[in-house]
């Protein structure tokens, strides 16, 4: 069995994984995920047509998020789980097809035209072997015969995948939007339209970036509505002697429910990876047993988790193949899945809690404290000081150094860059890329910390709002600010954030360590010519270029 996957930064040989995914995805899972995209295209075709006649179903709309999120890197590695979702995909396709045909007949008095081929006509196989075989027939290279158009289609699909993850987080917090639902269906259905060319998909990708800003705004508001505006907060590293549960991922609602259910049980809850910013929200930090943060970014879990003797649970993407040393106390929740690992459904975490109580106490080994919680509200709350600092010359430049971390060599660049940024410059950071340097001492400028942790990758909305507010304060465009974007990327959530920045017209972004393998030379040239996007080089050279030295 063969495969081909090039959707993440660590694509083998810089071109794509064709034997085994660097992420741990095997060919069977790769085929099932390819089939999910194919099936979702069929669903999107009918959902898009149904909307033309005023018919829709929110359950089917929401499944689009679930299906796309399932295919994001480091989410679901369990073929049985994906097969069950494929059944839901097919059932939803048939349901929306029936809704469309009924609506068409009611509006026109005629029977709807039948679609006899392609993803809209897909009939699901009866078993796992059959599903895998179907998936093998519908991989990336079948999207289009023209390599440039295929590349542009991939740019769009990977943007939809990343946005689906954010939309799923927002939905969990009660936020949905009809325009967002409609765009998902319109855009994915367009990838099956043979009349569309390269610039059609470039335009849809820019629209995806625009729509993603709306989705991240919904997610941001959901967080604020539930937990308040994040505030600058010191977070304890290391552990203390007590029972413990480690939460890795992004979902704040899940950790809130866990905190409620562990209250008074002698269990401390720790964050890992992108959960670190949870400590900055008043609605979460009120729980005294939300003790601290353990470990760093996702790619180090196999080295760090053996040293955490409590229970561990993943609530969103970033899971790796678990080691035997902690597999028996590991759980998954939400879209995450791994074969043989207990998956939690719903909001009852009693099994996780009981496992934590069975485990030995954590060691009494506290570490240093680090700061988080500098969302746009907190930063703009001291905007007068920031603006005065720029006007007086105390602050010469801003660097946004953040994004997804990863295991591929070359990411020490981001540490080196942060270390040599002059002391009259401020570093904004977000997502797990911050772990490359967030334990270093940077000091402050006039009481403003030189390192401002804006939050998760989900909080890119805050970084955008900070940039827009600064531009407004100085009556200029974002590209005219003393602000440099130097971003690390790994998977599709980072990809759609990049599309959002491009939609805003932000230029001169440095991206790395490697540029996406799915960009053909012609598509890459388009990005260079229109946005001057470029690959990182060396920390010294990129710093000099940013400062005009």
């Amino acid at each position: 069995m063969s495969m081909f996957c090039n959707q993440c930064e660590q694509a083998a040989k810089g071109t794509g994984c064709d034997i085994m995914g660097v992420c741990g995805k095997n060919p069977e899972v790769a085929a099932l995920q390819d089939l999910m995209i194919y099936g979702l295209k069929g669903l999107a075709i009918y959902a898009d047509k149904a909307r033309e006649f005023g018919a829709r179903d929110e359950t089917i709309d929401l499944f689009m998020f679930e299906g796309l999120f399932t295919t994001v890197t480091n989410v679901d590695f369990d073929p049985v789980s994906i097969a069950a979702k494929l059944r839901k995909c097919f059932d939803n396709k048939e349901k929306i097809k029936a809704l469309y045909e009924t609506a068409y007949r009611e509006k026109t008095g005629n029977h709807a035209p039948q679609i006899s081929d392609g993803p809209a006509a897909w009939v699901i196989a009866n078993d796992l072997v059959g599903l895998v075989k179907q998936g093998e027939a519908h991989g990336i290279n079948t999207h289009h015969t023209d390599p440039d158009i295929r590349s542009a289609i991939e740019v769009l699909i990977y943007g939809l995948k990343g946005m689906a993850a954010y939309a799923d987080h927002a939905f969990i917090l009660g936020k949905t939007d009809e325009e967002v639902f409609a765009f998902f269906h319109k855009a994915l259905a367009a990838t099956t339209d043979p009349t569309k060319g390269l610039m059609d998909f470039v335009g849809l990708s820019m629209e995806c970036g625009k729509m993603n800003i709306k989705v991240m705004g919904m997610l941001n508001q959901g967080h604020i509505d539930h937990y308040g505006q994040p505030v600058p907060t010191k977070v304890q590293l290391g552990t203390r002697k007590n029972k413990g549960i480690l939460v890795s991922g992004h979902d704040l609602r899940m950790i809130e429910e866990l905190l409620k259910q562990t209250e008074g049980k002698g269990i401390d809850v720790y964050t890992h990876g992108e959960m670190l910013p949870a400590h900055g929200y008043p609605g979460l930090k009120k729980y005294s047993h939300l003790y601290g943060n353990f470990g760093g970014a996702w790619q180090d879990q196999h080295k760090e988790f053996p040293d955490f003797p409590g229970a561990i649970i993943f609530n969103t993407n970033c899971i790796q193949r678990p080691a035997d040393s902690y597999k028996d106390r590991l759980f998954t929740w939400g879209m995450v899945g791994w074969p043989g690992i207990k998956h939690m459904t719903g909001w009852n975490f009693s099994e996780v809690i009981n496992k934590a109580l069975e485990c030995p106490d954590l060691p009494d080994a506290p570490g240093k404290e680090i700061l988080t919680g500098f969302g746009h509200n907190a930063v703009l709350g001291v905007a007068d000081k920031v603006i005065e600092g720029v006007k007086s010359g105390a602050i010469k430049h801003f660097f946004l150094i953040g994004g997804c971390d990863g295991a591929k060599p070359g990411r020490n660049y981001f540490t080196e860059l942060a270390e040599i940024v002059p002391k009259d410059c401020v570093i904004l950071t977000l997502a797990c890329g911050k772990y490359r340097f967030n334990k270093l001492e940077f000091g402050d400028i006039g009481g403003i910390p030189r390192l401002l942790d804006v939050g998760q990758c989900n909080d890119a909305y805050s970084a955008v709002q900070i940039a827009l507010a600064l531009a407004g304060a100085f009556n200029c465009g974002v590209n005219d600010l003393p602000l440099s974007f130097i971003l690390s990327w790994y998977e599709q959530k980072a990809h759609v954030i990049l599309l959002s920045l491009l939609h805003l017209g932000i230029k001169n972004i440095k991206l790395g360590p490697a540029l996406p393998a799915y960009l053909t030379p012609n598509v890459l040239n388009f990005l260079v010519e229109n946005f001057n996007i470029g690959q990182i080089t060396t920390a010294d050279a990129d710093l000099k270029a940013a400062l005009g030295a």
Side-chain angles (χ1 to χ4, degrees):
M1 186 187 299
S2 63
M3 62 177 284
F4 185 76
C5 181
N6 62 358
Q7 69 178 7
C8 84
E9 192 271 338
Q10 297 185 173
K13 301 176 184 177
T15 56
C17 299
D18 55 6
I19 299 173
M20 183 80 177
V22 174
C23 65
K25 177 167 61 178
N26 63 33
E28 180 184 44
V29 169
L32 294 172
Q33 292 186 353
D34 286 341
L35 184 58
M36 178 64 76
I37 296 301
Y38 186 75
L40 290 172
K41 287 181 180 182
L43 186 156
I45 289 170
Y46 282 120
D48 189 47
K49 289 180 178 296
R51 268 183 168 75
E52 294 178 15
F53 294 89
R56 57 170 295 235
D57 184 310
E58 187 169 278
T59 301
I60 295 171
D61 293 338
L62 291 169
F63 180 78
M64 178 63 72
F65 301 164
E66 179 181 346
L68 286 167
F69 196 177
T70 293
T71 69
V72 170
T73 305
N74 290 61
V75 176
D76 196 342
F77 295 83
D78 186 349
V80 175
S81 167
I82 302 173
K85 292 175 186 176
L86 282 167
R87 169 53 66 181
K88 286 177 65 177
C89 182
F90 177 74
D91 290 345
N92 279 319
K93 177 181 76 76
E94 293 298 293
K95 183 178 179 182
I96 194 65
K97 176 186 176 183
L99 283 176
Y100 158 64
E101 291 175 341
T102 299
Y104 187 99
R105 188 169 57 252
E106 289 175 350
K107 288 288 180 70
T108 69
N110 300 314
H111 291 292
Q114 294 298 296
I115 304 175
S116 59
D117 59 3
W122 167 56
V123 177
I124 192 169
N126 292 324
D127 56 23
L128 186 60
V129 173
L131 291 172
V132 171
K133 190 169 293 186
Q134 285 185 329
E136 289 175 329
H138 298 294
I140 292 167
N141 292 325
T142 66
H143 290 337
H144 205 281
T145 55
D146 183 296
D148 291 328
I149 296 178
R150 184 168 65 244
S151 176
I153 288 173
E154 285 188 79
V155 169
L156 174 59
I157 289 176
Y158 300 153
L160 294 173
K161 288 186 179 190
M163 185 164 61
Y166 296 130
D168 183 73
H169 295 318
F171 164 68
I172 288 173
L173 295 169
K175 302 294 183 181
T176 60
D177 184 271
E178 165 58 18
E179 185 183 18
V180 172
F181 286 140
F183 176 76
F184 270 99
H185 298 306
K186 179 188 79 169
L188 196 55
T191 66
T192 70
D193 185 346
T195 68
K196 296 201 179 296
L198 180 63
M199 294 312 297
D200 292 307
F201 293 113
V202 169
L204 282 167
S205 293
M206 292 300 101
E207 190 176 351
C208 182
K210 175 184 178 180
M211 197 62 62
N212 186 58
I213 293 173
K214 182 171 191 172
V215 170
M216 288 195 299
M218 289 161 49
L219 177 57
N220 176 76
Q221 193 59 50
H223 285 156
I224 293 170
D225 289 349
H226 283 75
Y227 311 115
Q229 293 279 6
V231 295
T233 301
K234 290 182 178 180
V235 182
Q236 180 70 55
L237 302 182
T239 59
R240 68 180 176 186
K241 187 175 175 59
N242 208 354
K243 304 296 182 182
I245 298 175
L246 183 61
V247 182
S248 187
H250 302 75
D251 198 274
L252 299 188
R253 169 83 189 280
M254 177 264 159
I255 200 171
E256 178 193 25
E257 294 299 323
L258 182 65
L259 287 165
K260 289 177 182 177
Q261 294 173 38
T262 49
E263 199 163 20
K265 295 185 183 295
I267 299 173
D268 290 328
V269 175
Y270 293 78
T271 56
H272 171 265
E274 289 266 55
M275 292 303 300
L276 168 63
H279 294 271
Y281 287 91
L284 298 175
K285 62 185 295 183
K286 68 182 182 182
Y287 294 96
S288 61
H289 60 300
L290 178 60
Y291 174 68
N293 189 77
F294 180 89
W298 66 270
Q299 76 276 359
D300 290 330
Q301 62 194 254
H302 66 286
K303 294 186 293 187
E304 296 171 343
F305 285 7
D307 296 327
F308 188 90
I312 305 167
I313 183 166
F314 277 87
N315 66 32
T316 59
N317 55 307
C318 297
I319 194 171
Q320 282 186 309
R321 180 188 299 277
D324 290 340
S325 60
Y326 58 85
K327 189 181 291 186
D328 66 329
R329 46 195 172 84
L330 181 65
F331 300 83
T332 58
W333 180 86
M335 299 300 152
V336 191
W338 194 279
I341 299 302
K342 177 68 177 179
H343 185 76
M344 307 300 298
T345 58
W347 300 99
N348 185 340
F349 297 106
S350 57
E351 285 191 62
V352 183
I353 293 168
N354 290 337
K355 175 58 69 173
L357 293 172
E358 294 171 5
C359 290
D361 285 354
L362 275 60
D364 189 19
K368 65 179 295 184
E369 291 181 326
I370 58 175
L371 277 170
T372 191
F374 290 95
H376 64 276
N377 187 67
V379 174
L380 298 182
V382 293
D384 55 339
K385 293 182 180 179
V386 174
I387 293 167
E388 180 55 37
V390 175
K391 288 180 176 178
S392 70
I395 298 175
K396 291 286 199 306
H397 205 86
F398 297 88
F399 289 85
L400 176 57
I401 309 175
C404 303
D405 205 359
K408 189 175 180 179
R411 291 179 180 267
N412 56 310
Y413 161 94
F414 298 97
T415 309
E416 294 168 2
L417 178 63
E419 288 179 320
I420 64 172
V421 165
K423 293 186 178 180
D424 56 4
C425 299
V426 172
I427 300 171
L428 300 167
T429 191
L430 76 162
C432 61
K434 70 170 72 77
Y435 283 105
R436 290 283 168 173
F437 47 82
N438 69 339
K439 297 178 180 68
L440 302 177
E441 296 293 340
F442 289 96
D444 65 86
I445 300 175
I448 300 170
R450 286 189 56 236
L451 179 66
L452 300 176
D453 180 0
V454 177
Q456 301 176 330
C457 65
N458 299 11
D459 297 311
Y461 178 82
S462 272
V464 167
Q465 295 307 308
I466 291 169
L468 293 176
L470 287 173
F474 289 104
N475 196 29
C476 66
V478 173
N479 291 317
D480 301 315
L481 289 170
L483 169 63
S484 298
F485 290 81
I486 301 176
L487 307 176
S488 57
W489 80 282
Y490 173 65
E491 41 86 292
Q492 297 77 64
K493 290 201 283 186
H495 169 93
V496 77
I497 289 171
L498 179 63
L499 293 183
S500 293
L501 296 177
L502 298 182
H503 158 72
L504 292 169
I506 295 173
K507 297 184 177 182
N508 306 313
I509 296 170
K510 288 287 188 181
L511 188 68
L515 295 179
Y518 45 83
L519 296 180
T520 59
N522 288 334
V523 174
L524 178 58
N525 285 341
F526 173 86
L527 294 175
V528 172
E529 290 172 4
N530 287 274
F531 301 100
N532 198 32
I533 193 169
Q535 187 174 359
I536 60 172
T537 59
T538 67
D540 283 324
D542 290 344
L543 180 66
K544 288 178 182 177
L547 296 176

